Amino acid sequence: EVQVVESGGGLVQPGGSLRLSCAASGFDFNTYDMHWVRQVTGNGLEWVSAIGTASDTYYSGSVKGRFTISRENAKNSVYLQMNSLTAGDTAVYYCVGQYSGGPGWDDYGLGVWGRGTTVTVSS
Amino acid sequence: QSVLTQPPSVSAAPGQKVTISCSGSSSNIGNRYVSWYQQLPGTAPKLLIYDSNKRPSGIPDRFSGSKSGTSASLGITGLQTGDEADYFCGTWDTSLSGVVFGGGTKLTVL
């Protein structure tokens, strides 16, 4: 079964740190770009970060300098290190896989979504 | 404020057809493929359309996508109550170097 499973969410105080993990299975992880997308309950989707098969990284303006995405192909895993957290980072965080079969980041769409892990930043 | 613009809601009767629009710019939709995602209540989003008009395996042909210039559309025919969900468009933005989404459209099947 093709799936990604997130872990590591929880309650953290403002200014604190949290590391999210995502374990992939059922597909060739080495050929997938990986993303983190978050969603505040009742709101829309917000893209957070992406890492390509060559470990090139991209960040949204709202998290750049605070979050770091990484991947470990030997473990079929991707991580999101989140520092200097604020209440505005409170959301469900989805790990998403995108097949990297085309020349651009728009090819094939975000095809493999996890169930999400909840991050709550509050004192 | 989302980079891509979608209507907040649309509605139609069972069996009818509905179209959801998604408007962007030359730095995203104008030069990139568009994807569409369906989010049923309480679940994670699911890829519905990719490369502007292609359906992943298992997605019924009642769902279709199109793109023209800096706008894209999702069409759903033969509406069913089970289609009630939030629908999001998304693509890559070359100016922002990141994925951008529309604000989402809530579909109600009356």
Side-chain angles (χ1 to χ4, degrees):
Chain A
E1 180 187 6
V2 173
Q3 65 176 357
V4 293
V5 179
E6 307 92 336
S7 61
L11 174 64
V12 61
Q13 291 189 338
S17 297
L18 210 56
R19 188 194 194 212
L20 305 184
S21 298
C22 170
S25 60
F27 60 94
D28 186 354
F29 186 73
N30 296 299
T31 63
Y32 274 68
D33 301 320
M34 299 299 296
H35 302 254
W36 289 96
V37 175
R38 68 186 181 185
Q39 183 175 36
V40 176
T41 301
N43 285 16
L45 302 175
E46 181 188 8
W47 175 79
V48 174
S49 181
I51 185 165
T53 56
S55 293
D56 43 318
T57 59
Y58 304 86
Y59 300 94
S60 70
S62 62
V63 308
K64 196 167 188 177
R66 300 188 299 123
F67 290 11
T68 302
I69 191 171
S70 61
R71 65 189 294 160
E72 191 170 357
N73 289 347
K75 293 187 176 182
N76 287 354
S77 294
V78 63
Y79 310 98
L80 186 68
Q81 177 66 42
M82 305 185 295
N83 298 331
S84 304
L85 286 162
T86 72
D89 296 314
T90 294
V92 174
Y93 284 72
Y94 294 103
C95 174
V96 192
Q98 176 185 17
Y99 177 58
S100 184
W105 280 87
D106 53 325
D107 297 291
Y108 294 99
L110 305 183
V112 186
W113 292 72
R115 293 186 177 184
T117 187
T118 300
V119 172
T120 304
V121 184
S122 175
S123 56
Chain B
Q1 193 79 353
S2 301
V3 173
L4 306 181
T5 301
Q6 297 180 236
S9 63
V10 295
S11 62
Q16 296 300 303
K17 174 183 178 179
V18 71
T19 301
I20 299 173
S21 62
C22 176
S23 177
S25 69
S26 58
S27 66
N28 43 67
I29 292 178
N31 288 286
R32 293 287 165 181
Y33 290 126
V34 177
S35 300
W36 289 91
Y37 305 90
Q38 177 193 59
Q39 187 173 32
L40 296 168
T43 70
K46 179 175 77 172
L47 179 65
L48 209 58
I49 297 289
Y50 69 95
D51 290 2
S52 301
N53 58 13
K54 297 176 183 174
R55 286 176 285 105
S57 173
I59 301 300
D61 59 7
R62 300 188 298 109
F63 296 90
S64 63
S66 65
K67 194 192 91 164
S68 178
T70 58
S71 294
S73 294
L74 172 70
I76 311 173
T77 60
L79 278 171
Q80 303 172 1
T81 55
D83 296 330
E84 286 201 333
D86 293 320
Y87 292 85
F88 298 90
C89 58
T91 186
W92 184 263
D93 189 293
T94 54
S95 295
L96 298 173
S97 291
V99 174
V100 291
F101 292 106
T105 299
K106 184 176 183 60
L107 168 63
T108 301
V109 181
L110 302 168

